[in-house]
Amino acid sequence: MPSTAPGSEPPYRRIAAEIRRRIDLGELRPGDPVPSARRITREHGVAIATATKVLALLRAEGLVLTRPGAGTVVAPGRTATPGARRAADRPEPELTRDRVIRTAIALADAGGLAAVSMRQVAAELGVATMSLYRHVRGRDELVLAMADATLADAPLPVVRPAGWRARLELLARAQWAIYRRHPWLPHVISISRPQPMPRGMTHTEWALRATADLGLDRHLRWHLALTLMAYVRGMGTNLEARARSEQDTGLTDDEWVERHGTEFQRMMADGRYPTMAGLFAEGDVDLDLDSVFAFGLRSLLDGYTTLIEGITRGR
């Protein structure tokens, strides 16, 4: 992976400028495919996260757009504007801990945790790798700070809804929303080995306070809180794989299933999966990660309700 000297242009900006120049010169015309993230990775020797950031910058400038099944193409009737070029050439602000963390989050959002290294963050910022150590002690601390910062992006409300169930559901849906925005995050959060993250501990505090007035013993309250958060985290671990697959193929989940429909039908017809074949024959099912998450959350809270009401009646 190429290094970047202090003060030099970050690799993703340099590569984006090259593609922008080809669009300006008419080498790439509206509707033409632009180099994919994987091609950029091969041709320029950069990480997939950097390649993805190149396309994200061009997309933000309105130069390219993503078409399902076709990948990234030059946007209709668009050329790079002088304003966009001036913005790309503008000097970067002063290096701070928050800027280091936010840059690392952008890398992880684009290419997963594997894309985050001290060297790559420094390259994206256009600084020497050692300069990062003035702000974080190393990659482990950086990843923990990234996780805590993302949790802060979706603060829980000061005014709590009425009832333990509404409070726990609000927490679960807030965490699900965060995991959807940052698919790498569930792979950082640990249930068995809690990390010292102030915002993460705020979520645990919220879950425990939700059952504070029910007269439950401490063991049950801890299990209710941690089981809920473990469920959301477990569902969240599927999000990164889906995001990577959609990025690599240019296909949504529905489009993927449609493209492989004939193959699935052939498998169902050979008699090995009679139950699945019977259900498929009855019609389509609205089934995706969001619907499975919602069903599981409702069922989990229904179980909590039965348990808590049973204890209350027994008392």
Side-chain angles (χ1 to χ4, degrees), residues 253-296:
D253 289 346
D254 290 340
E255 290 167 340
W256 173 268
V257 172
E258 183 177 351
R259 174 167 292 190
H260 293 81
T262 302
E263 183 178 354
F264 282 124
Q265 290 175 5
R266 185 171 60 251
M267 294 174 65
M268 294 298 173
D270 67 12
R272 288 183 293 171
Y273 314 104
T275 304
M276 293 177 62
L279 289 174
F280 274 118
E282 293 179 12
D284 294 334
V285 178
D286 184 13
L287 191 67
D288 57 26
L289 284 180
D290 288 307
S291 68
V292 173
F293 166 76
F295 174 82

Side-chain angles (χ1 to χ4, degrees), residues 160-182:
R160 298 167 178 262
W164 67 265
R165 178 164 182 153
R167 294 169 185 171
L168 289 182
E169 181 173 355
L170 187 151
L171 173 65
R173 292 189 178 279
Q175 291 185 342
W176 179 246
I178 295 172
Y179 291 153
R180 290 199 64 191
R181 287 197 296 275
H182 308 286

Side-chain angles (χ1 to χ4, degrees), residues 75-253:
R78 298 302 300 269
T79 58
T81 64
R85 286 193 288 270
R86 285 196 298 271
D89 296 335
R90 192 173 298 145
E92 298 284 2
E94 179 186 359
L95 187 64
T96 63
R97 177 181 170 88
D98 181 69
R99 188 162 166 243
V100 170
I101 292 170
R102 293 296 170 183
T103 299
I105 289 174
L107 283 171
D109 288 347
L113 282 176
V116 179
S117 67
M118 299 295 280
R119 183 178 179 182
Q120 186 60 35
V121 172
E124 295 296 323
L125 290 167
V127 301
T129 302
M130 291 305 297
S131 66
L132 301 184
Y133 290 91
R134 296 197 303 268
H135 305 281
V136 292
R137 288 193 293 268
R139 186 180 185 275
D140 289 346
E141 180 182 306
L142 175 60
V143 170
L144 202 63
M146 291 162 54
D148 204 41
T150 57
L151 292 171
D153 287 341
L156 298 170
V158 176
V159 179
R160 298 167 178 262
W164 67 265
R165 178 164 182 153
R167 294 169 185 171
L168 289 182
E169 181 173 355
L170 187 151
L171 173 65
R173 292 189 178 279
Q175 291 185 342
W176 179 246
I178 295 172
Y179 291 153
R180 290 199 64 191
R181 287 197 296 275
H182 308 286
W184 52 270
L185 181 58
H187 302 280
V188 178
I189 303 297
S190 174
I191 301 299
S192 60
R193 297 187 177 186
Q195 299 111 316
M197 295 188 299
R199 281 88 173 203
M201 293 174 68
T202 297
H203 282 225
T204 306
E205 174 74 10
W206 176 285
L208 291 170
R209 285 186 61 187
T211 58
D213 301 325
L214 302 178
L216 306 176
D217 68 64
R218 67 182 187 280
H219 298 286
L220 180 56
R221 289 176 63 196
W222 274 108
H223 278 82
L224 292 173
L226 295 183
T227 299
L228 178 78
M229 292 189 290
Y231 166 71
V232 183
R233 176 192 173 277
M235 285 295 302
T237 58
N238 296 285
L239 293 166
E240 186 169 39
R242 182 181 72 173
R244 296 287 81 77
S245 295
E246 186 167 328
Q247 184 181 77
D248 290 343
T249 64
L251 300 175
T252 65
D253 289 346

